[in-house]
């Protein structure tokens, strides 16, 4: 699975500059994607738009722009412009009656893996790409398999470690990303205009 994501990064090298990949598994079948988007946008419906060449144009917005993906019992939200890290209060809201996995990084670093459930952040690993600087918070058992994946990689295999973050989320949720999903024009996007409000 790590090799699958290595190939994705080879094809979509801009992925390494900054992104946030959040997968939500609702535990209540009455929770809709509209509910999740409302939570993601800080309690307000976000703007939905068809964007021409979104990979190129999204950076002009200066707010999070998302691709939305539907999986089997899960929804994936890919913020692909700057690697905006979803604030904790949004993640805890998202995790009510749901499980939430998120990995994120940006051009200044910030390599983070996070798990939230039942309205609480249960585990977080910061700086996961640098073994000697990694900081773990919360229940260590939640990240045990992720740590094992990282430990099997060369310390300087940074692309492999980014790939492992995606592979770990897919192994945990069944939700992954295919490279061809990103080669899109005239694509629907979600714009979070209320995202950083408290």
């Amino acid at each position: 699975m790590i090799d699958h994501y290595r190939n994705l990064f080879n094809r979509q090298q801009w992925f390494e500059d900054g992104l946030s990949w959040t997968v939500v598994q609702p535990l209540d079948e009455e929770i809709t994607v509209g509910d999740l988007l409302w939570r993601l946008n800080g309690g307000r419906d976000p703007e939905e738009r068809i964007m021409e060449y979104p990979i190129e144009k999204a950076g002009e917005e200066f707010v999070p722009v998302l691709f939305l993906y539907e999986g089997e019992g899960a929804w994936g939200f890919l913020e692909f412009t700057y690697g905006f890290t979803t604030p904790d209060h949004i993640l805890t809201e998202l995790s009510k009656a749901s499980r939430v996995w998120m990995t994120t990084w940006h051009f200044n670093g910030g390599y983070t893996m996070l798990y939230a459930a039942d309205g609480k952040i249960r585990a977080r690993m910061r700086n996961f790409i640098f073994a000697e600087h990694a900081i773990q918070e919360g229940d260590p058992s939640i990240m045990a398999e992720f740590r094992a994946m990282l430990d099997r990689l060369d310390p300087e295999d940074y692309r492999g470690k980014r790939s492992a973050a995606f592979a770990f989320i897919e192994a945990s949720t069944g939700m992954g990303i295919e490279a061809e999903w990103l080669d899109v024009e005239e694509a629907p996007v979600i714009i979070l205009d209320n995202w950083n409000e408290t």
Side-chain angles (χ1 to χ4, degrees):
M1 203 179 289
I2 290 175
D3 288 342
H4 165 77
Y5 287 107
R6 275 189 200 280
N7 292 334
L8 183 144
F9 284 110
N10 286 337
R11 284 182 58 182
Q12 309 285 347
Q13 293 183 14
W14 55 270
F15 244 41
E16 296 184 325
D17 296 334
L19 60 75
S20 181
W21 173 233
T22 304
V23 175
V24 182
Q25 295 176 297
L27 302 176
D28 181 342
E29 60 186 30
E30 293 187 10
I31 296 173
T32 67
V33 68
D35 297 329
L36 298 178
L37 289 171
W38 186 85
R39 294 180 194 183
L40 259 176
N41 200 40
R44 195 164 72 198
D45 288 332
E47 178 186 350
E48 299 184 38
R49 185 191 306 172
I50 301 295
M51 185 175 283
E52 184 181 21
Y53 307 114
I55 301 303
E56 298 164 22
K57 299 282 187 185
E60 299 170 8
E61 296 295 326
F62 302 107
V63 292
V65 179
L66 309 178
F67 284 140
L68 169 66
Y69 301 105
E70 182 177 5
E72 186 67 39
W75 294 93
F77 304 94
L78 178 67
E79 194 288 309
F80 54 91
T81 47
Y82 296 106
F84 287 106
T85 301
T86 306
D88 285 0
H89 72 278
I90 299 273
L91 290 165
T92 55
E93 195 64 32
L94 263 183
S95 74
K96 290 179 179 175
S98 299
R99 289 190 290 257
V100 177
W101 292 97
M102 181 192 73
T103 190
T104 186
W105 54 80
H106 47 74
F107 66 93
N108 282 333
Y111 302 95
T112 299
M113 174 67 72
L114 179 142
Y115 174 71
D118 303 318
K120 294 181 183 173
I121 294 171
R122 303 291 180 172
R124 179 180 353 228
M125 185 186 296
R126 301 177 195 268
N127 298 322
F128 67 77
I129 206 166
F130 306 111
E132 67 277 13
H133 298 297
I135 300 167
Q136 185 148 345
E137 303 162 6
D139 182 349
S141 68
I142 293 170
M143 298 289 179
E145 182 53 36
F146 182 49
R147 282 195 318 275
M149 293 170 89
L150 295 173
D151 289 346
R152 289 192 289 268
L153 296 167
D154 184 279
E156 294 184 7
D157 183 3
Y158 303 127
R159 178 169 287 175
K161 291 178 181 184
R162 291 183 185 97
S163 301
F166 274 73
F168 177 62
I169 290 177
E170 183 171 351
S172 301
T173 65
M175 182 84 206
I177 289 186
E178 300 296 331
E180 57 269 18
W181 294 0
L182 304 166
D183 297 324
V184 291
E185 300 175 10
E186 298 291 334
V189 297
I190 309 293
I191 297 174
L192 303 182
D193 57 352
N194 194 48
W195 176 84
N196 60 357
E197 300 299 319
T198 55

PDB file of all heavy atoms in Angstrom, residues 58-76:
ATOM      1  N   ALA A  58      -7.022  26.857  -7.224  1.00  0.00           N
ATOM      2  CA  ALA A  58      -7.447  26.869  -5.820  1.00  0.00           C
ATOM      3  C   ALA A  58      -6.574  27.770  -4.961  1.00  0.00           C
ATOM      4  O   ALA A  58      -7.044  28.380  -4.009  1.00  0.00           O
ATOM      5  CB  ALA A  58      -7.455  25.452  -5.259  1.00  0.00           C
ATOM      6  N   GLY A  59      -5.302  27.885  -5.298  1.00  0.00           N
ATOM      7  CA  GLY A  59      -4.388  28.715  -4.521  1.00  0.00           C
ATOM      8  C   GLY A  59      -4.751  30.179  -4.511  1.00  0.00           C
ATOM      9  O   GLY A  59      -4.263  30.940  -3.666  1.00  0.00           O
ATOM     10  N   GLU A  60      -5.607  30.601  -5.425  1.00  0.00           N
ATOM     11  CA  GLU A  60      -6.030  32.002  -5.476  1.00  0.00           C
ATOM     12  C   GLU A  60      -7.068  32.328  -4.392  1.00  0.00           C
ATOM     13  O   GLU A  60      -7.389  33.494  -4.181  1.00  0.00           O
ATOM     14  CB  GLU A  60      -6.615  32.320  -6.858  1.00  0.00           C
ATOM     15  CG  GLU A  60      -5.603  32.129  -7.982  1.00  0.00           C
ATOM     16  CD  GLU A  60      -6.233  32.203  -9.368  1.00  0.00           C
ATOM     17  OE1 GLU A  60      -7.431  32.545  -9.472  1.00  0.00           O
ATOM     18  OE2 GLU A  60      -5.518  31.895 -10.345  1.00  0.00           O
ATOM     19  N   GLU A  61      -7.602  31.314  -3.732  1.00  0.00           N
ATOM     20  CA  GLU A  61      -8.683  31.534  -2.768  1.00  0.00           C
ATOM     21  C   GLU A  61      -8.190  31.959  -1.383  1.00  0.00           C
ATOM     22  O   GLU A  61      -8.894  32.630  -0.653  1.00  0.00           O
ATOM     23  CB  GLU A  61      -9.538  30.256  -2.635  1.00  0.00           C
ATOM     24  CG  GLU A  61     -10.250  29.859  -3.897  1.00  0.00           C
ATOM     25  CD  GLU A  61     -11.294  30.873  -4.339  1.00  0.00           C
ATOM     26  OE1 GLU A  61     -11.934  31.501  -3.472  1.00  0.00           O
ATOM     27  OE2 GLU A  61     -11.456  31.040  -5.554  1.00  0.00           O
ATOM     28  N   PHE A  62      -7.007  31.519  -0.968  1.00  0.00           N
ATOM     29  CA  PHE A  62      -6.431  31.815   0.354  1.00  0.00           C
ATOM     30  C   PHE A  62      -7.281  31.309   1.512  1.00  0.00           C
ATOM     31  O   PHE A  62      -7.183  31.801   2.633  1.00  0.00           O
ATOM     32  CB  PHE A  62      -6.140  33.314   0.509  1.00  0.00           C
ATOM     33  CG  PHE A  62      -5.194  33.820  -0.547  1.00  0.00           C
ATOM     34  CD1 PHE A  62      -5.658  34.621  -1.572  1.00  0.00           C
ATOM     35  CD2 PHE A  62      -3.854  33.466  -0.522  1.00  0.00           C
ATOM     36  CE1 PHE A  62      -4.798  35.072  -2.568  1.00  0.00           C
ATOM     37  CE2 PHE A  62      -2.987  33.912  -1.518  1.00  0.00           C
ATOM     38  CZ  PHE A  62      -3.462  34.719  -2.534  1.00  0.00           C
ATOM     39  N   VAL A  63      -8.156  30.367   1.227  1.00  0.00           N
ATOM     40  CA  VAL A  63      -8.920  29.633   2.235  1.00  0.00           C
ATOM     41  C   VAL A  63      -8.898  28.173   1.797  1.00  0.00           C
ATOM     42  O   VAL A  63      -8.582  27.870   0.653  1.00  0.00           O
ATOM     43  CB  VAL A  63     -10.380  30.147   2.366  1.00  0.00           C
ATOM     44  CG1 VAL A  63     -10.413  31.549   2.958  1.00  0.00           C
ATOM     45  CG2 VAL A  63     -11.106  30.085   1.036  1.00  0.00           C
ATOM     46  N   PRO A  64      -9.238  27.248   2.694  1.00  0.00           N
ATOM     47  CA  PRO A  64      -9.208  25.836   2.306  1.00  0.00           C
ATOM     48  C   PRO A  64     -10.173  25.527   1.160  1.00  0.00           C
ATOM     49  O   PRO A  64     -11.340  25.917   1.182  1.00  0.00           O
ATOM     50  CB  PRO A  64      -9.625  25.107   3.585  1.00  0.00           C
ATOM     51  CG  PRO A  64      -9.273  26.047   4.688  1.00  0.00           C
ATOM     52  CD  PRO A  64      -9.523  27.411   4.126  1.00  0.00           C
ATOM     53  N   VAL A  65      -9.641  24.828   0.159  1.00  0.00           N
ATOM     54  CA  VAL A  65     -10.435  24.329  -0.967  1.00  0.00           C
ATOM     55  C   VAL A  65     -10.309  22.812  -0.944  1.00  0.00           C
ATOM     56  O   VAL A  65      -9.201  22.275  -0.892  1.00  0.00           O
ATOM     57  CB  VAL A  65      -9.944  24.904  -2.305  1.00  0.00           C
ATOM     58  CG1 VAL A  65     -10.766  24.346  -3.464  1.00  0.00           C
ATOM     59  CG2 VAL A  65     -10.005  26.428  -2.292  1.00  0.00           C
ATOM     60  N   LEU A  66     -11.446  22.121  -0.966  1.00  0.00           N
ATOM     61  CA  LEU A  66     -11.458  20.672  -0.783  1.00  0.00           C
ATOM     62  C   LEU A  66     -11.996  19.949  -2.004  1.00  0.00           C
ATOM     63  O   LEU A  66     -12.937  20.411  -2.651  1.00  0.00           O
ATOM     64  CB  LEU A  66     -12.374  20.280   0.387  1.00  0.00           C
ATOM     65  CG  LEU A  66     -12.222  20.957   1.729  1.00  0.00           C
ATOM     66  CD1 LEU A  66     -13.266  20.422   2.697  1.00  0.00           C
ATOM     67  CD2 LEU A  66     -10.834  20.757   2.286  1.00  0.00           C
ATOM     68  N   PHE A  67     -11.396  18.793  -2.267  1.00  0.00           N
ATOM     69  CA  PHE A  67     -12.058  17.764  -3.066  1.00  0.00           C
ATOM     70  C   PHE A  67     -12.778  16.857  -2.073  1.00  0.00           C
ATOM     71  O   PHE A  67     -12.253  16.554  -0.996  1.00  0.00           O
ATOM     72  CB  PHE A  67     -11.057  16.921  -3.855  1.00  0.00           C
ATOM     73  CG  PHE A  67     -10.475  17.583  -5.061  1.00  0.00           C
ATOM     74  CD1 PHE A  67      -9.135  17.424  -5.368  1.00  0.00           C
ATOM     75  CD2 PHE A  67     -11.254  18.354  -5.918  1.00  0.00           C
ATOM     76  CE1 PHE A  67      -8.577  18.003  -6.489  1.00  0.00           C
ATOM     77  CE2 PHE A  67     -10.710  18.944  -7.047  1.00  0.00           C
ATOM     78  CZ  PHE A  67      -9.364  18.765  -7.336  1.00  0.00           C
ATOM     79  N   LEU A  68     -13.940  16.390  -2.458  1.00  0.00           N
ATOM     80  CA  LEU A  68     -14.753  15.510  -1.622  1.00  0.00           C
ATOM     81  C   LEU A  68     -14.816  14.139  -2.268  1.00  0.00           C
ATOM     82  O   LEU A  68     -15.076  14.033  -3.469  1.00  0.00           O
ATOM     83  CB  LEU A  68     -16.162  16.109  -1.494  1.00  0.00           C
ATOM     84  CG  LEU A  68     -17.259  15.246  -0.884  1.00  0.00           C
ATOM     85  CD1 LEU A  68     -16.959  14.956   0.573  1.00  0.00           C
ATOM     86  CD2 LEU A  68     -18.602  15.966  -1.016  1.00  0.00           C
ATOM     87  N   TYR A  69     -14.552  13.095  -1.489  1.00  0.00           N
ATOM     88  CA  TYR A  69     -14.590  11.718  -1.985  1.00  0.00           C
ATOM     89  C   TYR A  69     -15.499  10.879  -1.097  1.00  0.00           C
ATOM     90  O   TYR A  69     -15.484  11.027   0.127  1.00  0.00           O
ATOM     91  CB  TYR A  69     -13.184  11.108  -1.992  1.00  0.00           C
ATOM     92  CG  TYR A  69     -12.200  11.870  -2.829  1.00  0.00           C
ATOM     93  CD1 TYR A  69     -11.222  12.668  -2.242  1.00  0.00           C
ATOM     94  CD2 TYR A  69     -12.253  11.823  -4.221  1.00  0.00           C
ATOM     95  CE1 TYR A  69     -10.322  13.380  -3.007  1.00  0.00           C
ATOM     96  CE2 TYR A  69     -11.347  12.537  -4.993  1.00  0.00           C
ATOM     97  CZ  TYR A  69     -10.383  13.310  -4.385  1.00  0.00           C
ATOM     98  OH  TYR A  69      -9.501  14.026  -5.148  1.00  0.00           O
ATOM     99  N   GLU A  70     -16.249   9.995  -1.734  1.00  0.00           N
ATOM    100  CA  GLU A  70     -17.127   9.086  -0.995  1.00  0.00           C
ATOM    101  C   GLU A  70     -16.552   7.678  -1.052  1.00  0.00           C
ATOM    102  O   GLU A  70     -16.209   7.176  -2.121  1.00  0.00           O
ATOM    103  CB  GLU A  70     -18.535   9.088  -1.593  1.00  0.00           C
ATOM    104  CG  GLU A  70     -19.502   8.190  -0.831  1.00  0.00           C
ATOM    105  CD  GLU A  70     -20.923   8.240  -1.375  1.00  0.00           C
ATOM    106  OE1 GLU A  70     -21.142   8.905  -2.407  1.00  0.00           O
ATOM    107  OE2 GLU A  70     -21.800   7.602  -0.770  1.00  0.00           O
ATOM    108  N   GLY A  71     -16.435   7.043   0.111  1.00  0.00           N
ATOM    109  CA  GLY A  71     -15.993   5.665   0.194  1.00  0.00           C
ATOM    110  C   GLY A  71     -17.088   4.804   0.795  1.00  0.00           C
ATOM    111  O   GLY A  71     -18.217   5.250   0.998  1.00  0.00           O
ATOM    112  N   GLU A  72     -16.746   3.580   1.116  1.00  0.00           N
ATOM    113  CA  GLU A  72     -17.690   2.658   1.745  1.00  0.00           C
ATOM    114  C   GLU A  72     -17.790   3.006   3.220  1.00  0.00           C
ATOM    115  O   GLU A  72     -16.906   2.682   4.017  1.00  0.00           O
ATOM    116  CB  GLU A  72     -17.203   1.219   1.567  1.00  0.00           C
ATOM    117  CG  GLU A  72     -18.182   0.171   2.055  1.00  0.00           C
ATOM    118  CD  GLU A  72     -19.464   0.121   1.220  1.00  0.00           C
ATOM    119  OE1 GLU A  72     -19.387   0.252  -0.009  1.00  0.00           O
ATOM    120  OE2 GLU A  72     -20.539  -0.039   1.831  1.00  0.00           O
ATOM    121  N   GLY A  73     -18.848   3.721   3.600  1.00  0.00           N
ATOM    122  CA  GLY A  73     -19.035   4.113   5.000  1.00  0.00           C
ATOM    123  C   GLY A  73     -18.105   5.206   5.468  1.00  0.00           C
ATOM    124  O   GLY A  73     -17.900   5.375   6.670  1.00  0.00           O
ATOM    125  N   ALA A  74     -17.520   5.949   4.538  1.00  0.00           N
ATOM    126  CA  ALA A  74     -16.578   7.008   4.922  1.00  0.00           C
ATOM    127  C   ALA A  74     -16.605   8.119   3.875  1.00  0.00           C
ATOM    128  O   ALA A  74     -16.967   7.900   2.720  1.00  0.00           O
ATOM    129  CB  ALA A  74     -15.165   6.452   5.052  1.00  0.00           C
ATOM    130  N   TRP A  75     -16.197   9.284   4.319  1.00  0.00           N
ATOM    131  CA  TRP A  75     -16.046  10.435   3.434  1.00  0.00           C
ATOM    132  C   TRP A  75     -14.626  10.957   3.563  1.00  0.00           C
ATOM    133  O   TRP A  75     -14.098  11.064   4.667  1.00  0.00           O
ATOM    134  CB  TRP A  75     -17.038  11.539   3.815  1.00  0.00           C
ATOM    135  CG  TRP A  75     -18.464  11.143   3.589  1.00  0.00           C
ATOM    136  CD1 TRP A  75     -19.324  10.578   4.489  1.00  0.00           C
ATOM    137  CD2 TRP A  75     -19.189  11.252   2.363  1.00  0.00           C
ATOM    138  NE1 TRP A  75     -20.533  10.339   3.900  1.00  0.00           N
ATOM    139  CE2 TRP A  75     -20.489  10.755   2.592  1.00  0.00           C
ATOM    140  CE3 TRP A  75     -18.878  11.737   1.090  1.00  0.00           C
ATOM    141  CZ2 TRP A  75     -21.454  10.712   1.605  1.00  0.00           C
ATOM    142  CZ3 TRP A  75     -19.850  11.706   0.102  1.00  0.00           C
ATOM    143  CH2 TRP A  75     -21.117  11.199   0.365  1.00  0.00           C
ATOM    144  N   GLY A  76     -14.025  11.294   2.446  1.00  0.00           N
ATOM    145  CA  GLY A  76     -12.677  11.852   2.438  1.00  0.00           C
ATOM    146  C   GLY A  76     -12.702  13.301   1.981  1.00  0.00           C
ATOM    147  O   GLY A  76     -13.400  13.647   1.019  1.00  0.00           O
TER     148      GLY A  76
END
